């Protein structure tokens, strides 16, 4: 830590941080466009101009090293005039189309224009007009809105490891465009739209879907893989529209991959809301009573899956199982990727597609034998009941009689219609809890959607089965009469 002065006030800041980030930690916002804490510094936008004591000319904050005794001024008339000039220059050719731009409401150009701009323009010539282009499988570029901050080019080269974009022409004619003939097809097209400080880069999947101020947002965690990227959920009319990255500088989390960002359809459509018995919709009382009766007569049961469930649900399920008085085995690791350290598919996405494998291991929701041994035992009929929590039973339990399978699912899958019993459960977004990622970080997520009335979590289902099973054992005759 070092001591610096900002506008005459002394602060203690981290000397390893960029001056913009260090000032933000001290509660002082320095406006910028091209700067990003994870990208190289280029100083292209000239928005972060400041005065440095002892230096006659204005300097860019993004390229100023934090050192002991540094003294800067961020609010002088000279700095204000320079920023107003920068904004006027950037807005000279920028179209006034905020009402139809998807970035409206979360646009740095809007924010900086209100805080640092003049409110009027001296530009009287015709603004340039370049047709927008499709430059990716899920990415378009509106050249008229581009301020040539170079963020997108740097992000691809430095984070994704590809060079699809480049800066072409000079001066008035400068544009960001494709440097190759093939369109962009990597896993970070959503991140490119995010990192664009204006509405130049946009995604087809979210284009014109909703205004950002209509969303209800909650802090959450991406359920797409074991990386556990922090997110904000964007929900409207109780439907998930998108995830947005939740920046955590201390844990080096800034971005979100497309596989996690756009995987929202399963939360909005084809949900399993009915209890199923023998492939037909049934009553909850009928299904739960029959499962409880089978448990009460069982010698051994298995619970497979659970790596999609929260730490809290796994702990509760195991507690309920231990009270049943039946021998049981649990195994959340159902794929080979879960038995080893997750491999990086790219700089964020991993080979383990489940968000809480590490949490399941830490909670003891795994077995010494492993899934292959459990599968073999199940095919031989050694388990009276096999519960499968949000996994593909047809792949995991191939050859196991469906009569012994109970599926707990959020969606109406083919497996749910083929099992003896299927039980609907809440999605993670309809609960509050935590996932433990591959690094062992336990990260909380808040409830962001309202579950349909009567829908239970996986933990609540096992708690209910525990209660019903114990009632059967304590008074089988009364329970039988009550079940009619």
């Amino acid at each position: 830590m070092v001591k610096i002065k900002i506008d005459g006030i002394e602060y203690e800041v981290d000397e390893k941080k960029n001056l913009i980030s260090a000032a933000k930690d001290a509660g002082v916002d320095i406006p910028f466009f091209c700067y990003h804490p994870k990208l190289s510094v280029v100083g292209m936008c000239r928005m972060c101009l400041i005065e440095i004591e002892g230096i006659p000319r204005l300097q860019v904050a993004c390229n100023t090293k934090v050192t002991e005794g540094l003294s800067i001024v961020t609010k002088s008339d000279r700095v204000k005039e320079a920023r107003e000039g920068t904004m006027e220059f950037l807005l000279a050719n920028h179209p006034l189309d905020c009402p139809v731009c998807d970035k409206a409401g979360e646009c740095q150009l809007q924010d900086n224009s209100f805080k640092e701009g003049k409110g009027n323009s001296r530009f009287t010539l015709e603004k340039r007009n370049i047709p927008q282009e499709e430059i990716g499988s899920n990415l378009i570029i509106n050249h008229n809105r581009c301020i040539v901050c170079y963020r997108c080019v740097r992000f691809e080269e430095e984070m994704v490891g590809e060079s699809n974009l480049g800066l072409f022409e000079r001066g008035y004619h400068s544009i960001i465009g494709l440097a190759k003939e093939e369109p962009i097809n990597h896993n970070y097209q959503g991140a490119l739209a995010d990192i664009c400080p204006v509405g130049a880069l946009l995604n087809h999947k979210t284009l014109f879907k909703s205004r950002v101020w209509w969303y209800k947002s909650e802090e959450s965690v991406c359920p797409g893989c074991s990386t556990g990227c922090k997110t904000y959920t964007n929900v409207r009319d109780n439907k998930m529209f998108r995830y947005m990255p939740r920046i955590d500088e201390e844990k080096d989390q800034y971005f979100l991959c497309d596989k996690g960002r756009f995987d929202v359809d399963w939360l909005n459509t084809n949900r399993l809301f009915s209890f199923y018995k023998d492939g037909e919709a049934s009553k909850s009382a009928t299904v739960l009573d029959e499962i409880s009766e089978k448990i009460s007569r069982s010698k051994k049961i298995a619970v497979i899956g659970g790596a999609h469930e929260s730490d809290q649900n796994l702990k509760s399920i195991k507690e309920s199982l231990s009270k049943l008085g039946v021998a049981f085995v649990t195994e959340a690791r159902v794929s080979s990727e879960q038995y080893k350290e997750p491999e990086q598919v790219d700089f964020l996405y991993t080979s383990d597609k489940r968000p809480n494998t590490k949490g399941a291991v830490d909670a003891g929701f795994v077995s010494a034998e492993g899934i292959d041994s459990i599968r073999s035992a199940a095919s031989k009929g050694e388990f009276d009941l096999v519960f499968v929590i949000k996994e593909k039973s047809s792949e995991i339990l191939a050859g196991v009689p469906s009569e012994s399978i109970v599926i707990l699912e959020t969606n109406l899958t083919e497996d749910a219609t083929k099992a003896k019993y299927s039980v609907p459960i809440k999605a993670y977004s309809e609960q509050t809890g935590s996932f433990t990622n591959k690094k062992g970080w336990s990260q909380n997520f808040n409830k962001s959607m309202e579950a349909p009335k009567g829908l239970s979590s996986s933990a609540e289902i096992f708690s209910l089965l525990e209660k019903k099973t114990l009632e059967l054992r304590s008074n089988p005759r009364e329970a039988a009469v009550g079940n009619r």
Side-chain angles (χ1 to χ4, degrees), residues 139-209:
L139 193 68
I140 60 175
I141 184 167
N142 187 312
H143 294 292
N144 300 321
R145 297 173 185 159
C146 180
I147 61 170
V148 197
C149 69
Y150 218 56
R151 266 185 167 193
C152 53
V153 179
R154 285 179 289 148
F155 172 76
E156 277 209 317
E157 292 178 349
E158 298 170 18
M159 302 305 300
V160 182
E162 296 187 17
S163 297
N164 295 299
L165 296 170
L167 178 60
F168 302 95
E169 304 297 338
R170 290 179 180 273
Y172 176 84
H173 302 286
S174 293
I175 64 168
I176 298 289
L178 278 175
K180 300 178 180 179
E181 292 184 2
E182 301 81 15
I184 297 170
N185 196 34
H186 57 61
N187 192 27
Y188 293 91
Q189 296 177 61
L192 280 171
D194 270 352
I195 210 168
C196 179
V198 296
L201 291 174
L202 298 169
N203 299 120
H204 279 298
K205 290 184 178 179
T206 54
L207 196 63
F208 304 136
K209 292 290 178 68

Side-chain angles (χ1 to χ4, degrees), residues 40 137 162 179-180 198 243 276 278 312 337 379 390 437 443 466 483:
S40 60
S137 56
E162 296 187 17
K180 300 178 180 179
V198 296
Y243 301 115
Y276 272 69
D278 297 322
Q312 293 73 21
E337 292 83 7
S379 63
K390 201 164 171 52
N437 78 346
Q443 302 183 122
E466 170 209 331
N483 288 341

Side-chain angles (χ1 to χ4, degrees), residues 299-306 317-318 321-322 324-334 339 364-378 382-389 397 462:
K299 293 182 179 179
K300 191 174 184 181
I301 63 177
V303 179
I304 295 174
I317 290 171
K318 199 162 185 185
L321 290 171
S322 64
L324 290 174
V326 179
F328 68 89
V329 60
T330 59
E331 183 53 82
R333 301 167 299 176
V334 300
Y339 285 86
F365 211 83
V366 293
S367 64
E369 300 84 3
I371 189 63
D372 291 336
S373 177
I374 293 173
R375 182 189 296 114
S376 176
E382 294 181 18
F383 297 109
D384 298 292
L385 278 176
V386 181
F387 292 87
V388 181
I389 306 175
L397 299 174
F462 275 95

Side-chain angles (χ1 to χ4, degrees), residues 290-298 385 403 420-421:
E290 289 188 17
I291 294 174
S292 300
E293 189 175 347
K294 284 178 177 285
I295 292 174
S296 67
R297 293 187 279 105
S298 296
L385 278 176
E403 291 295 312
K420 178 65 177 178
Y421 302 107

